[in-house]
Amino acid sequence: MMNLVFADRQGNVFDHPDFIGLGRHGDQVTEILEDELIPLPEGATLVSLPDTRPIGIDVESGEMKIVPGDVCAVGALLPQGFTRLLLPGYVKTDKTKRLPLFGYTAVVWKDDGFYVAAQQSDDPHRWNPLNCDRNELEIQVRHLLAQYPDNRLYRHLSNCALGYECLTASNTFLNRWEGAVPVSFSCNAGCYGCISEQPEDSGFPAPQTRMNFKPTVKEIVEVMLQHLQTPESIISFGQGCEGEPSTQAPLIIEAIRTVRKQTSNGFININTNAGLTDHIRGIVDAGLDLMRVSTISALDDHYNAYYKPRGYTLKNVEKSLRYAADQGVYTSINYLIFPGVTDREEEVEAMIEFVRRTGLKLIQLRNLNIDPESYLSLIPKARGEILGMKQMIDIFREELPEVVLGSYTHVPKPEERRKKLQPDLFT
């Protein structure tokens, strides 16, 4: 049996043998199917949901009930590489209170262990926090700060790595995999769930502090060259601690050109909303290798409600992706997904057509970190049948066989790689 999991007010977690655990598609409470469950992954975290009460099926009566007592619901926070299929089953006791910006997943107790409503969508090894050695990281932070004492980017990233435990920032100091090079303190969107800047009346405390300076080309180039030391290295503009990187297109363009005069190693990536099409074209033409575009929907009204774009539309995003793909850039979307919304029939159909029109190579399935009730009240009410996240993923695989489904940035196969721009083009 799938026992309901709950927490007391001290945060102690228990299973309830008298109740079967339930999940949610958006605001609809639903049963959890056996094939939707996997054991709690390594690196996952259980959290109590304050100001909530869990909902389960009373084993004796077979009825759906709110669990009695002074208890609250529990959810799981999944590590990278795992896709949430259901929200936890709960109701709020105080609808004015908002949950912190996390991606809550349904969890139950089964076969003497915790299980979550999720599936593995990528190899989690590189993004497992347990694979980041804190002692080694501190040593490398001190080393690079000493090597580049005047570089403000390294000072900024040291707080991201050690304070916020950002794995991309940590990679920058550990000189491995995908590293970070933030450049922008401004943004052309007002994302409802922005993790680095929130209006005072949002009710969401921003979990990170946005950078507050404009780096020089020299500072950017130093970080890029330090990281791009192997053929598989990735250095990425566009981090959680900054705004929209393409607002600093002149800096990025000059930095890419300078770096590519000195090395053809690795991949230069940008994580962007891609709304500034002319800026994106300039960055692509400078020698960009990879581009990941953040989106939550291929429907204009849903997209606009969440991103609140300033001076651009979803059509601009599509033009940017199409241009980059036509120039040989390996393009992907950072697809913010939410059970009960993303898996509605109209959303699925619209996204399939969007992917086909833009020539995308990769869909990165990313669990949307947000208070569920706030999100559901923000977006237009979706129409059409809820297919379920599992079926949605199966449909993507069937309808888009050439598109990779994953959870984070991949490097293209050798035959898919953009031909490197030759240094003499810029001399």
Side-chain angles (χ1 to χ4, degrees):
M1 190 171 83
M2 295 179 282
N3 289 3
L4 181 145
V5 174
F6 69 96
D8 63 20
R9 295 302 167 180
Q10 286 70 50
N12 300 305
V13 176
F14 306 89
D15 73 296
H16 204 311
D18 299 329
F19 282 87
I20 297 172
L22 297 173
R24 276 174 46 183
H25 282 113
D27 56 5
Q28 297 182 20
V29 179
T30 182
E31 293 185 48
I32 304 174
L33 303 178
E34 287 281 350
D35 65 357
E36 293 176 313
L37 290 173
I38 60 172
L40 185 74
E42 182 181 43
T45 305
L46 295 181
V47 294
S48 60
L49 280 56
D51 303 300
T52 69
R53 294 280 294 281
I55 301 175
I57 295 178
D58 186 308
V59 174
E60 184 175 342
S61 68
E63 296 178 356
M64 187 183 298
K65 294 182 179 180
I66 296 175
V67 176
D70 189 20
V71 299
C72 58
V74 169
L77 309 182
L78 301 175
Q80 280 287 29
F82 292 87
T83 298
R84 170 179 59 182
L85 302 182
L86 289 170
L87 304 168
Y90 70 87
V91 293
K92 281 192 174 179
T93 56
D94 185 345
K95 294 184 179 180
T96 66
K97 298 293 181 64
R98 295 177 177 177
L99 296 172
L101 295 172
F102 295 119
Y104 305 99
T105 302
V107 57
V108 296
W109 180 263
K110 174 179 172 289
D111 300 333
D112 297 321
F114 291 108
Y115 279 70
V116 290
Q119 69 175 229
Q120 184 173 332
S121 50
D122 219 324
D123 180 357
H125 173 75
R126 291 188 175 186
W127 297 101
N128 188 332
L130 300 177
N131 293 325
C132 182
D133 187 296
R134 178 78 181 193
N135 292 330
E136 182 185 359
L137 176 60
E138 290 177 353
I139 292 170
Q140 292 305 316
V141 167
R142 289 196 296 270
H143 171 71
L144 284 177
L145 289 179
Q147 186 174 347
Y148 300 100
D150 299 323
N151 192 311
R152 293 169 297 166
L153 277 177
Y154 275 122
R155 290 202 298 274
H156 173 79
L157 287 168
S158 68
N159 181 58
C160 297
L162 298 177
Y164 299 131
E165 298 183 347
C166 169
L167 291 177
T168 315
S170 299
N171 288 341
T172 310
F173 290 99
L174 295 171
N175 204 219
R176 64 179 191 178
W177 307 332
E178 181 180 356
V181 55
V183 294
S184 177
F185 53 84
S186 62
C187 195
N188 60 332
C191 301
Y192 189 68
C194 180
I195 64 173
S196 67
E197 188 171 270
Q198 289 289 327
E200 292 182 3
D201 61 349
S202 72
F204 293 117
Q208 296 183 10
T209 301
R210 182 174 292 183
M211 68 186 302
N212 59 4
F213 64 94
K214 179 179 178 179
T216 64
V217 171
K218 180 175 182 291
E219 288 172 318
I220 298 168
V221 168
E222 285 178 345
V223 174
M224 293 176 72
L225 287 175
Q226 178 67 36
H227 195 75
L228 293 174
Q229 295 189 20
T230 72
E232 301 303 310
S233 299
I234 304 172
I235 191 71
S236 292
F237 300 102
Q239 303 300 312
C241 60
E242 65 174 312
E244 166 53 38
S246 68
T247 61
Q248 298 296 333
L251 278 178
I252 293 175
I253 290 168
E254 187 175 350
I256 292 176
R257 288 177 171 174
T258 301
V259 165
R260 284 307 183 214
K261 286 180 181 179
Q262 300 179 57
T263 182
S264 61
N265 261 343
F267 298 88
I268 300 173
N269 174 57
I270 188 169
N271 302 315
T272 173
N273 62 39
L276 301 174
T277 303
D278 289 342
H279 291 198
I280 293 296
R281 285 174 178 164
I283 293 168
V284 167
D285 293 346
L288 190 71
D289 300 299
L290 315 173
M291 184 168 81
R292 184 181 75 175
V293 174
S294 178
T295 191
I296 203 162
S297 175
L299 299 172
D300 289 282
D301 54 354
H302 184 171
Y303 181 92
N304 292 337
Y306 179 80
Y307 283 96
K308 299 179 177 62
R310 300 163 186 155
Y312 76 92
T313 67
L314 189 55
K315 185 61 67 175
N316 295 112
V317 177
E318 186 173 324
K319 288 179 181 178
S320 297
L321 276 166
R322 184 70 260 173
Y323 182 82
D326 288 345
Q327 303 308 310
V329 174
Y330 188 85
T331 57
S332 65
I333 53 171
N334 185 55
Y335 194 17
L336 304 176
I337 57 176
F338 187 92
V341 177
T342 315
D343 51 348
R344 285 192 180 270
E345 191 173 12
E346 65 169 351
E347 292 277 357
V348 174
E349 291 175 353
M351 182 51 67
I352 289 171
E353 292 307 311
F354 182 84
V355 171
R356 287 171 175 164
R357 290 195 304 270
T358 55
L360 281 175
K361 300 291 188 182
L362 167 66
I363 297 175
Q364 297 182 41
L365 301 169
R366 306 297 287 269
N367 302 312
L368 178 61
N369 296 329
I370 202 165
D371 172 67
E373 282 66 36
S374 297
Y375 178 56
L376 292 169
S377 67
L378 169 77
I379 62 171
K381 189 168 180 60
R383 299 172 296 276
E385 178 188 357
I386 296 177
L387 303 174
M389 297 296 291
K390 192 172 186 297
Q391 185 176 352
M392 179 199 78
I393 293 170
D394 290 341
I395 291 172
F396 282 159
R397 290 195 172 113
E398 181 178 347
E399 295 292 326
L400 305 167
E402 302 302 318
V403 178
V404 177
L405 294 182
S407 289
Y408 52 81
T409 300
H410 292 203
V411 297
K413 298 174 184 177
E415 64 272 19
E416 296 176 312
R417 297 182 181 185
R418 186 182 187 188
K419 186 177 180 182
K420 300 289 185 183
L421 298 177
Q422 297 302 312
D424 59 6
L425 291 177
F426 307 118
T427 57

